[in-house]
Amino acid sequence: MFVFRASTFLSRSRSSVPSFGSRIGLQNPQRYFASSAEGSPPPAEGFMQGVATSKFIKQTKEQCLSHPELAAVRNSETVKMNYFTAVNDALATALATDEKAVIFGEDVGFGGVFRCTIGLAEKFGKDRVFNMPLTEQGIIGFGIGMAAVGHTPIAEIQFADYVFPAFDQIVNEAAKYRYRSGNEFNVGGLTIRMPCNAVGHGALYHSQSPEAYFAHTPGLKIVYPRSPIQAKGFCLRLFPKILYRSAVEQVPVDDFVLPLGKAEVVKEGKDLTVVGWGAQLYVLENAVNEAEKRMPGLSVEIIDLRSILPWDRETVEKSVNKTGRLLIAHEAPHTGGFGGEIAATIQERCFLKLEAPISRVCGWDTPFPLVFEKFYIPGMIRCMDEIEKIMKY
Amino acid sequence: MMLARLTTLVRTAPRVSQLPLPISARVPLLARSKATKASDSAATSLQDRHVSFPGATFGSVFTEKMEFISDYPTIPTYRVLDIEGKVIVEGQDPKLSKEECMKIYRTMISLNQMDMIMYEAQRQGRISFYMTNYGEEGTHLGTAAALTSDDVIFGQYREAGALLYRGFSVQQCMHQCYGNENDLGKGRQMPVHYGSKALNIQTISSPLGTQLPQAAGSAYALKREGKDACVVCFFGEGAASEGDFHAALNMAATTESPVIFFCRNNGYAISTPAREQYRGDGIASRGHGYGMHTIRVDGNDVLAVYNVVKEARRIAVEEQKPVLIEALTYRVGHHSTSDDSSAYRPKKEVADWMKQDAPINRFRKYLEAKKWWSEDQEQALRKEVQTAVSHLFTDVYDELPWNLQEQKAKLDALMAKYPEQYDTTGHAKTKLS
């Protein structure tokens, strides 16, 4: 099963069959919902829409470097990178600046099935970028062991769907290592990267968003970069794989670090707060664009949560106190999803300011299906419709 | 073993044409077109017999004899001392100095006395839980004495003797079991979950087998640093059934990491006898499957364990290869204070092991034969040995995030409001921090 899954994706990225990126439509951006400004109805498709035209993507050097979080690299050059190139750049920086940093996982040696580690073994040596036997529990246990003696292991799980064999090592071991030893030992140097989110045709085991399972685990930090800049700045954790080729933006050449635990208000508004993370941000952007067109005068604030654990309650709370309404959207199933945690906390903190029930648009409570993907995901239409309902409440 | 079989096949390969088989059965399919005459077949097949599939091990040859491998030789158990403490083959005596022997023996007795006292303390409700080390002292001490202080120890939970030998004091064990303010672990884990950074002893955790792949990773880190050190990872034969065992041995072999996997095969995993744990030749037989140096040793013979670990350490550090050691022993005590082992094994079986072959007794006889030990000294040592809480929220992360700060404030307020419900008299005077 595992070999099959790897080779499936290998053949895609190597052949002339449209890859994830081109399938999304980099060559024909008129298919995007964003192009419906010209009057065509939005497609209810099951894959990523509008990334290339997103306002959240930094198209120019000036847009990129004007961001306050990038003040430290204000004088840096920028270069156009897609998501996997940015991950590669971040990994190269980690290896170059930390002699104790190593990268390992399944198939990372030749560059990875998503090309994130391409060229690194050649540049930094096979003792620093190497293949592991096909064992997720082993990979994470190995990483814990390296970190426990002061090294900086960066472990890759090929798909977030396959992290569950390592659940014990992550939840019972990595997360509790510092606490249970009274800080005699810690594995703070360990980073686990895993591609997640829907991809159009990934079905049950190439589409999952498992963040909520881990959010229930004190001791972990969970980060969800939405763009190449974030992919480089965070250099870790859950990576929406649909963006690997499709998200292209200007990224500072110099080394920089983005703050963990901080959300980003990517669009300001006054009537409704919309919260999402990862690839869902682009769905929300489109949904909000359409809703604001349909309801003249509507002004929606969009927040990219970025960190799931610890999450930035303050930013969300401040926003909802201003708007009085909250919509949370994530690809993962509704019941037990992280949206529930946000909803419960904001209800507790903003009770007197809320003018409508907090709403969640999520994946249905089913496994992630193949041919029904477009009916499953919390896509643009579902999000837009929910915005209308909230505003009419 | 497999290795022996393959060697045999390689050796007999040139004579294969003498086999009374039809030529079509003898020559591999791909070679048939080339070898049409019987006289050609020997030369052609010699070349073609070597298996070239990428997954094949070097030296693998084709055979036309269909034979399932089922009859394995049993791996022998290495020993130095007989049960009377006599060296069987003189050259095998490591000839440890009197000082080294006394350190080993004193630690055995300290461990034994600590176990008795702490077991009773648990029976009296003074501590919540305990696990004794009875019968397995030989594996702990033989291993610890063969290591250096730079070697990293990963334990399961029944290796306290190795920790004591390294310098983790009885007092420190008590601090941990009581979870008091001197406990390095800050009172968070159950008793017997020891650990110490200063002594290179990774903190023990309850989930079984998890330390195995971690040990492989730590060993790889030591290798990258070019350290003259290895990792020793203890585990029981029950834990070897976990998936982590497989992951760890395979990873250690493929990454060529200097780690010694030390299995304490004491016959039981709580109530489950080894017979229900596996059907192969114990744990040691698995080593070959991973391409690993492997040995089985008498775990009640401290000198045999010492020799084996000493050589395993040399292989790990000098050759940068992992080693698997299976020490056969017997769990004399109950699994833990929560277990009554008479529910699943006869008391006589336990008594027989204690009487006939306790590792402490065997080593004591060795010392007495050397005139290094006597009954008076024994009594004096046992007597000498006999006389001999507040961080709930910290260390979840390096810093307290907002949610934990708030939750801590809530608990502080609750404790202030209901002091009678949250009695802190048993805890140190420091505030919850």
Side-chain angles (χ1 to χ4, degrees), chain A residues 127 145 151 177 179 220 313, chain B residues 202 218 220 225 392 397 406:
Chain A
D127 67 318
H151 287 236
Y177 219 92
Y179 188 79
L220 297 179
R313 185 192 69 194
Chain B
Q202 292 280 328
S218 288
Y220 186 78
E225 286 177 45
L392 173 58
Y397 300 95
E406 284 188 4

Side-chain angles (χ1 to χ4, degrees), chain A residues 284-299:
Chain A
L284 289 171
E285 182 185 23
N286 281 302
V288 166
N289 284 344
E290 187 65 14
E292 287 183 340
K293 266 207 305 275
R294 291 188 185 202
M295 303 178 77
L298 173 67
S299 160

Side-chain angles (χ1 to χ4, degrees), chain A residues 85-207:
Chain A
T85 319
V87 173
N88 186 272
D89 193 44
L91 294 174
T93 303
L95 292 169
T97 55
D98 181 356
E99 173 53 30
K100 287 187 170 177
V102 296
I103 297 169
F104 52 85
E106 294 154 16
D107 304 303
V108 302
F110 87 107
V113 298
F114 288 111
R115 322 313 287 148
C116 288
T117 53
I118 198 156
L120 299 181
E122 291 79 1
K123 190 171 178 191
F124 296 98
K126 287 182 175 176
D127 67 318
R128 300 191 66 193
V129 182
F130 51 96
N131 290 337
M132 269 282 153
L134 221 160
T135 166
E136 284 77 11
Q137 65 197 99
I139 289 167
I140 303 305
F142 193 91
I144 291 169
M146 288 198 76
V149 292
H151 287 236
T152 316
I154 303 169
E156 176 176 309
I157 297 293
Q158 204 161 63
F159 288 85
D161 310 67
Y162 303 117
V163 73
F164 301 110
F167 203 69
D168 184 39
Q169 284 285 354
I170 295 173
V171 171
N172 275 331
E173 296 291 319
K176 297 172 174 59
Y177 219 92
R178 186 191 301 271
Y179 188 79
R180 75 184 187 204
S181 70
N183 206 19
E184 283 286 289
F185 298 98
N186 73 77
V187 294
L190 172 66
T191 296
I192 305 165
R193 300 186 306 111
M194 44 187 158
C196 62
N197 280 174
V199 70
H201 50 277
L204 282 78
Y205 307 113
H206 299 90
S207 306

Side-chain angles (χ1 to χ4, degrees), chain A residues 10 28 38 43 80 82 131 229 251 279 308 314 327 366 379 384:
Chain A
L10 274 175
N28 49 345
E38 293 144 34
K80 204 169 166 183
N82 66 20
N131 290 337
I229 291 175
V251 181
I308 305 296
E314 199 182 341
L327 168 72
T366 70
M384 181 194 72

Side-chain angles (χ1 to χ4, degrees), chain A residues 231-249:
Chain A
K232 180 173 176 179
F234 288 131
C235 178
L236 78 174
R237 322 299 151 93
L238 289 143
F239 292 96
K241 58 187 170 292
I242 196 162
L243 303 175
Y244 272 12
R245 287 160 191 273
S246 62
V248 183
E249 70 180 339

